Amino acid sequence: MKKDVNEYISNIINSGPSEEMYFEAIHDVFKDLIKEYIRKKINEDDELKKQITEVLEEFMEAKVKEYDSLAKMAKVTAKIGIMSAPSGVKQEALNDFMDTFRKEIEEIIKSTL
């Protein structure tokens, strides 16, 4: 009987959330409170809000330029590869290159929109 009671209590304790889960939940609550506080402070200061908007626009512009540069590098690399390929395999190499990078190029374009 005593063994059954101990096992029953043990099962109840083990079925509850772990300490780690509580710490994670508290951490998430603190993060949310900090986000809320920061948003409040930003909304109180129009100049700060304007600066954040400008920084975000510059960041997005830089990302678009980065993707554009990557696309240009891919184009130059392909051109060099095709120029250096034997004439018999140029078309096959071009098709392989396009098939290989079509998905990547589409992802770059989609991520900038």
PDB file of all heavy atoms in Angstrom, residues 37-56:
ATOM      1  N   TYR A  37       7.619  47.770 -23.213  1.00  0.00           N
ATOM      2  CA  TYR A  37       8.251  48.978 -22.681  1.00  0.00           C
ATOM      3  C   TYR A  37       8.990  49.738 -23.785  1.00  0.00           C
ATOM      4  O   TYR A  37       8.855  50.961 -23.908  1.00  0.00           O
ATOM      5  CB  TYR A  37       9.221  48.595 -21.557  1.00  0.00           C
ATOM      6  CG  TYR A  37       9.964  49.768 -20.981  1.00  0.00           C
ATOM      7  CD1 TYR A  37       9.360  50.617 -20.064  1.00  0.00           C
ATOM      8  CD2 TYR A  37      11.280  50.030 -21.357  1.00  0.00           C
ATOM      9  CE1 TYR A  37      10.041  51.703 -19.543  1.00  0.00           C
ATOM     10  CE2 TYR A  37      11.966  51.108 -20.838  1.00  0.00           C
ATOM     11  CZ  TYR A  37      11.352  51.943 -19.930  1.00  0.00           C
ATOM     12  OH  TYR A  37      12.027  53.012 -19.417  1.00  0.00           O
ATOM     13  N   ILE A  38       9.733  49.000 -24.598  1.00  0.00           N
ATOM     14  CA  ILE A  38      10.477  49.641 -25.688  1.00  0.00           C
ATOM     15  C   ILE A  38       9.519  50.270 -26.692  1.00  0.00           C
ATOM     16  O   ILE A  38       9.730  51.402 -27.149  1.00  0.00           O
ATOM     17  CB  ILE A  38      11.427  48.628 -26.360  1.00  0.00           C
ATOM     18  CG1 ILE A  38      12.566  48.270 -25.401  1.00  0.00           C
ATOM     19  CG2 ILE A  38      11.980  49.168 -27.667  1.00  0.00           C
ATOM     20  CD1 ILE A  38      13.454  47.130 -25.872  1.00  0.00           C
ATOM     21  N   ARG A  39       8.459  49.557 -27.054  1.00  0.00           N
ATOM     22  CA  ARG A  39       7.469  50.119 -27.990  1.00  0.00           C
ATOM     23  C   ARG A  39       6.866  51.409 -27.425  1.00  0.00           C
ATOM     24  O   ARG A  39       6.673  52.386 -28.155  1.00  0.00           O
ATOM     25  CB  ARG A  39       6.356  49.108 -28.246  1.00  0.00           C
ATOM     26  CG  ARG A  39       6.707  48.075 -29.250  1.00  0.00           C
ATOM     27  CD  ARG A  39       5.501  47.222 -29.652  1.00  0.00           C
ATOM     28  NE  ARG A  39       5.935  46.117 -30.460  1.00  0.00           N
ATOM     29  CZ  ARG A  39       6.086  44.874 -30.006  1.00  0.00           C
ATOM     30  NH1 ARG A  39       5.793  44.582 -28.764  1.00  0.00           N
ATOM     31  NH2 ARG A  39       6.502  43.908 -30.799  1.00  0.00           N
ATOM     32  N   LYS A  40       6.559  51.404 -26.134  1.00  0.00           N
ATOM     33  CA  LYS A  40       5.983  52.593 -25.498  1.00  0.00           C
ATOM     34  C   LYS A  40       6.951  53.764 -25.603  1.00  0.00           C
ATOM     35  O   LYS A  40       6.551  54.879 -25.955  1.00  0.00           O
ATOM     36  CB  LYS A  40       5.669  52.292 -24.028  1.00  0.00           C
ATOM     37  CG  LYS A  40       5.053  53.442 -23.284  1.00  0.00           C
ATOM     38  CD  LYS A  40       4.786  53.070 -21.833  1.00  0.00           C
ATOM     39  CE  LYS A  40       4.322  54.290 -21.063  1.00  0.00           C
ATOM     40  NZ  LYS A  40       4.254  54.054 -19.636  1.00  0.00           N
ATOM     41  N   LYS A  41       8.231  53.517 -25.310  1.00  0.00           N
ATOM     42  CA  LYS A  41       9.234  54.583 -25.372  1.00  0.00           C
ATOM     43  C   LYS A  41       9.413  55.092 -26.807  1.00  0.00           C
ATOM     44  O   LYS A  41       9.556  56.296 -27.029  1.00  0.00           O
ATOM     45  CB  LYS A  41      10.583  54.104 -24.810  1.00  0.00           C
ATOM     46  CG  LYS A  41      10.559  53.891 -23.320  1.00  0.00           C
ATOM     47  CD  LYS A  41      10.260  55.204 -22.615  1.00  0.00           C
ATOM     48  CE  LYS A  41      10.218  55.041 -21.115  1.00  0.00           C
ATOM     49  NZ  LYS A  41       9.862  56.259 -20.423  1.00  0.00           N
ATOM     50  N   ILE A  42       9.394  54.197 -27.766  1.00  0.00           N
ATOM     51  CA  ILE A  42       9.519  54.609 -29.167  1.00  0.00           C
ATOM     52  C   ILE A  42       8.320  55.442 -29.581  1.00  0.00           C
ATOM     53  O   ILE A  42       8.468  56.471 -30.245  1.00  0.00           O
ATOM     54  CB  ILE A  42       9.674  53.372 -30.082  1.00  0.00           C
ATOM     55  CG1 ILE A  42      11.050  52.732 -29.855  1.00  0.00           C
ATOM     56  CG2 ILE A  42       9.492  53.742 -31.547  1.00  0.00           C
ATOM     57  CD1 ILE A  42      11.226  51.385 -30.536  1.00  0.00           C
ATOM     58  N   ASN A  43       7.129  55.025 -29.204  1.00  0.00           N
ATOM     59  CA  ASN A  43       5.916  55.753 -29.576  1.00  0.00           C
ATOM     60  C   ASN A  43       5.825  57.128 -28.921  1.00  0.00           C
ATOM     61  O   ASN A  43       5.132  58.012 -29.421  1.00  0.00           O
ATOM     62  CB  ASN A  43       4.673  54.928 -29.245  1.00  0.00           C
ATOM     63  CG  ASN A  43       4.503  53.769 -30.194  1.00  0.00           C
ATOM     64  OD1 ASN A  43       4.905  53.830 -31.348  1.00  0.00           O
ATOM     65  ND2 ASN A  43       3.935  52.687 -29.700  1.00  0.00           N
ATOM     66  N   GLU A  44       6.519  57.318 -27.806  1.00  0.00           N
ATOM     67  CA  GLU A  44       6.524  58.618 -27.138  1.00  0.00           C
ATOM     68  C   GLU A  44       7.439  59.631 -27.826  1.00  0.00           C
ATOM     69  O   GLU A  44       7.287  60.830 -27.623  1.00  0.00           O
ATOM     70  CB  GLU A  44       6.983  58.454 -25.680  1.00  0.00           C
ATOM     71  CG  GLU A  44       5.997  57.760 -24.794  1.00  0.00           C
ATOM     72  CD  GLU A  44       6.553  57.482 -23.397  1.00  0.00           C
ATOM     73  OE1 GLU A  44       7.748  57.793 -23.136  1.00  0.00           O
ATOM     74  OE2 GLU A  44       5.811  56.941 -22.566  1.00  0.00           O
ATOM     75  N   ASP A  45       8.370  59.162 -28.637  1.00  0.00           N
ATOM     76  CA  ASP A  45       9.372  60.039 -29.248  1.00  0.00           C
ATOM     77  C   ASP A  45       9.282  59.956 -30.769  1.00  0.00           C
ATOM     78  O   ASP A  45       9.757  58.999 -31.387  1.00  0.00           O
ATOM     79  CB  ASP A  45      10.770  59.621 -28.767  1.00  0.00           C
ATOM     80  CG  ASP A  45      11.853  60.588 -29.184  1.00  0.00           C
ATOM     81  OD1 ASP A  45      11.624  61.404 -30.094  1.00  0.00           O
ATOM     82  OD2 ASP A  45      12.945  60.517 -28.586  1.00  0.00           O
ATOM     83  N   ASP A  46       8.683  60.995 -31.381  1.00  0.00           N
ATOM     84  CA  ASP A  46       8.494  61.002 -32.824  1.00  0.00           C
ATOM     85  C   ASP A  46       9.823  61.012 -33.583  1.00  0.00           C
ATOM     86  O   ASP A  46       9.945  60.399 -34.646  1.00  0.00           O
ATOM     87  CB  ASP A  46       7.643  62.204 -33.259  1.00  0.00           C
ATOM     88  CG  ASP A  46       6.182  62.041 -32.861  1.00  0.00           C
ATOM     89  OD1 ASP A  46       5.745  60.880 -32.692  1.00  0.00           O
ATOM     90  OD2 ASP A  46       5.492  63.074 -32.710  1.00  0.00           O
ATOM     91  N   GLU A  47      10.812  61.695 -33.045  1.00  0.00           N
ATOM     92  CA  GLU A  47      12.126  61.756 -33.705  1.00  0.00           C
ATOM     93  C   GLU A  47      12.777  60.372 -33.722  1.00  0.00           C
ATOM     94  O   GLU A  47      13.339  59.944 -34.721  1.00  0.00           O
ATOM     95  CB  GLU A  47      13.039  62.764 -32.992  1.00  0.00           C
ATOM     96  CG  GLU A  47      14.388  62.939 -33.642  1.00  0.00           C
ATOM     97  CD  GLU A  47      14.335  63.454 -35.074  1.00  0.00           C
ATOM     98  OE1 GLU A  47      13.389  64.197 -35.422  1.00  0.00           O
ATOM     99  OE2 GLU A  47      15.239  63.094 -35.858  1.00  0.00           O
ATOM    100  N   LEU A  48      12.678  59.675 -32.616  1.00  0.00           N
ATOM    101  CA  LEU A  48      13.225  58.322 -32.539  1.00  0.00           C
ATOM    102  C   LEU A  48      12.500  57.393 -33.513  1.00  0.00           C
ATOM    103  O   LEU A  48      13.127  56.576 -34.195  1.00  0.00           O
ATOM    104  CB  LEU A  48      13.115  57.788 -31.104  1.00  0.00           C
ATOM    105  CG  LEU A  48      13.673  56.397 -30.847  1.00  0.00           C
ATOM    106  CD1 LEU A  48      15.163  56.338 -31.162  1.00  0.00           C
ATOM    107  CD2 LEU A  48      13.426  56.006 -29.391  1.00  0.00           C
ATOM    108  N   LYS A  49      11.202  57.544 -33.595  1.00  0.00           N
ATOM    109  CA  LYS A  49      10.397  56.745 -34.517  1.00  0.00           C
ATOM    110  C   LYS A  49      10.846  56.996 -35.962  1.00  0.00           C
ATOM    111  O   LYS A  49      11.001  56.064 -36.753  1.00  0.00           O
ATOM    112  CB  LYS A  49       8.929  57.124 -34.351  1.00  0.00           C
ATOM    113  CG  LYS A  49       7.944  56.058 -34.678  1.00  0.00           C
ATOM    114  CD  LYS A  49       6.549  56.622 -34.519  1.00  0.00           C
ATOM    115  CE  LYS A  49       5.687  55.696 -33.726  1.00  0.00           C
ATOM    116  NZ  LYS A  49       4.325  56.160 -33.582  1.00  0.00           N
ATOM    117  N   LYS A  50      11.091  58.264 -36.278  1.00  0.00           N
ATOM    118  CA  LYS A  50      11.543  58.639 -37.619  1.00  0.00           C
ATOM    119  C   LYS A  50      12.914  58.032 -37.909  1.00  0.00           C
ATOM    120  O   LYS A  50      13.154  57.509 -39.004  1.00  0.00           O
ATOM    121  CB  LYS A  50      11.600  60.163 -37.733  1.00  0.00           C
ATOM    122  CG  LYS A  50      12.016  60.681 -39.080  1.00  0.00           C
ATOM    123  CD  LYS A  50      12.066  62.187 -39.091  1.00  0.00           C
ATOM    124  CE  LYS A  50      12.667  62.688 -40.393  1.00  0.00           C
ATOM    125  NZ  LYS A  50      12.896  64.130 -40.372  1.00  0.00           N
ATOM    126  N   GLN A  51      13.816  58.081 -36.932  1.00  0.00           N
ATOM    127  CA  GLN A  51      15.158  57.520 -37.111  1.00  0.00           C
ATOM    128  C   GLN A  51      15.102  56.016 -37.331  1.00  0.00           C
ATOM    129  O   GLN A  51      15.817  55.476 -38.185  1.00  0.00           O
ATOM    130  CB  GLN A  51      16.037  57.839 -35.900  1.00  0.00           C
ATOM    131  CG  GLN A  51      16.444  59.285 -35.799  1.00  0.00           C
ATOM    132  CD  GLN A  51      17.202  59.573 -34.502  1.00  0.00           C
ATOM    133  OE1 GLN A  51      17.292  58.725 -33.622  1.00  0.00           O
ATOM    134  NE2 GLN A  51      17.731  60.782 -34.398  1.00  0.00           N
ATOM    135  N   ILE A  52      14.254  55.347 -36.588  1.00  0.00           N
ATOM    136  CA  ILE A  52      14.112  53.898 -36.748  1.00  0.00           C
ATOM    137  C   ILE A  52      13.596  53.577 -38.147  1.00  0.00           C
ATOM    138  O   ILE A  52      14.080  52.651 -38.810  1.00  0.00           O
ATOM    139  CB  ILE A  52      13.199  53.304 -35.656  1.00  0.00           C
ATOM    140  CG1 ILE A  52      13.900  53.361 -34.299  1.00  0.00           C
ATOM    141  CG2 ILE A  52      12.786  51.870 -35.991  1.00  0.00           C
ATOM    142  CD1 ILE A  52      13.035  52.985 -33.131  1.00  0.00           C
ATOM    143  N   THR A  53      12.628  54.359 -38.614  1.00  0.00           N
ATOM    144  CA  THR A  53      12.091  54.153 -39.957  1.00  0.00           C
ATOM    145  C   THR A  53      13.176  54.342 -41.004  1.00  0.00           C
ATOM    146  O   THR A  53      13.308  53.537 -41.933  1.00  0.00           O
ATOM    147  CB  THR A  53      10.919  55.131 -40.218  1.00  0.00           C
ATOM    148  OG1 THR A  53       9.921  54.925 -39.224  1.00  0.00           O
ATOM    149  CG2 THR A  53      10.330  54.921 -41.593  1.00  0.00           C
ATOM    150  N   GLU A  54      13.991  55.384 -40.854  1.00  0.00           N
ATOM    151  CA  GLU A  54      15.078  55.642 -41.801  1.00  0.00           C
ATOM    152  C   GLU A  54      16.098  54.503 -41.794  1.00  0.00           C
ATOM    153  O   GLU A  54      16.556  54.062 -42.853  1.00  0.00           O
ATOM    154  CB  GLU A  54      15.763  56.967 -41.477  1.00  0.00           C
ATOM    155  CG  GLU A  54      14.909  58.182 -41.778  1.00  0.00           C
ATOM    156  CD  GLU A  54      15.510  59.485 -41.251  1.00  0.00           C
ATOM    157  OE1 GLU A  54      16.623  59.453 -40.661  1.00  0.00           O
ATOM    158  OE2 GLU A  54      14.872  60.540 -41.437  1.00  0.00           O
ATOM    159  N   VAL A  55      16.437  54.028 -40.607  1.00  0.00           N
ATOM    160  CA  VAL A  55      17.406  52.941 -40.495  1.00  0.00           C
ATOM    161  C   VAL A  55      16.866  51.671 -41.156  1.00  0.00           C
ATOM    162  O   VAL A  55      17.594  50.966 -41.861  1.00  0.00           O
ATOM    163  CB  VAL A  55      17.768  52.685 -39.014  1.00  0.00           C
ATOM    164  CG1 VAL A  55      18.530  51.392 -38.844  1.00  0.00           C
ATOM    165  CG2 VAL A  55      18.568  53.843 -38.454  1.00  0.00           C
ATOM    166  N   LEU A  56      15.597  51.385 -40.941  1.00  0.00           N
ATOM    167  CA  LEU A  56      14.998  50.200 -41.549  1.00  0.00           C
ATOM    168  C   LEU A  56      14.981  50.309 -43.071  1.00  0.00           C
ATOM    169  O   LEU A  56      15.242  49.332 -43.775  1.00  0.00           O
ATOM    170  CB  LEU A  56      13.583  49.981 -41.017  1.00  0.00           C
ATOM    171  CG  LEU A  56      13.502  49.439 -39.595  1.00  0.00           C
ATOM    172  CD1 LEU A  56      12.052  49.400 -39.119  1.00  0.00           C
ATOM    173  CD2 LEU A  56      14.125  48.065 -39.497  1.00  0.00           C
TER     174      LEU A  56
END
